[in-house]
Amino acid sequence: MAYRFWCGECGFKTQWLAESEGAQRQLDHYVKQHPGIPAGGHVEANRKNPNGGIGFLQAAGIIVLLLIIAAACRR
């Protein structure tokens, strides 16, 4: 599932990411932009697209399929 983390101090929000990566980016934001303030805000779950988009293996498979189709059409 993909998550987006929102800062509780300003308008910062992460991209749709895995939970651990989003949490780390939010923490990095707080360290840089709001030193001394504990990380806060809220987390939003992507319910419309729970997988967060197309994965690398899926994209690679599509590319390979397109290459096979292109090679078959050249004959």
Side-chain angles (χ1 to χ4, degrees):
M1 180 161 300
Y3 297 90
R4 180 166 33 194
F5 287 74
W6 294 74
C7 177
E9 310 303 320
C10 67
F12 172 80
K13 63 184 174 193
T14 66
Q15 299 172 339
W16 292 107
L17 302 166
E19 187 174 13
S20 60
E21 186 177 354
Q24 183 60 50
R25 290 203 186 170
Q26 183 189 38
L27 184 60
D28 293 343
H29 167 77
Y30 264 84
V31 168
K32 290 178 186 175
Q33 301 298 322
H34 313 291
I37 299 174
H42 67 277
V43 181
E44 179 181 8
N46 189 348
R47 301 207 187 283
K48 289 183 181 178
N49 189 3
N51 294 327
I54 188 167
F56 172 77
L57 291 178
Q58 294 162 331
I62 291 170
I63 291 170
V64 169
L65 180 62
L66 290 173
L67 289 173
I68 291 170
I69 291 170
C73 291
R74 288 189 84 186
R75 294 181 184 193

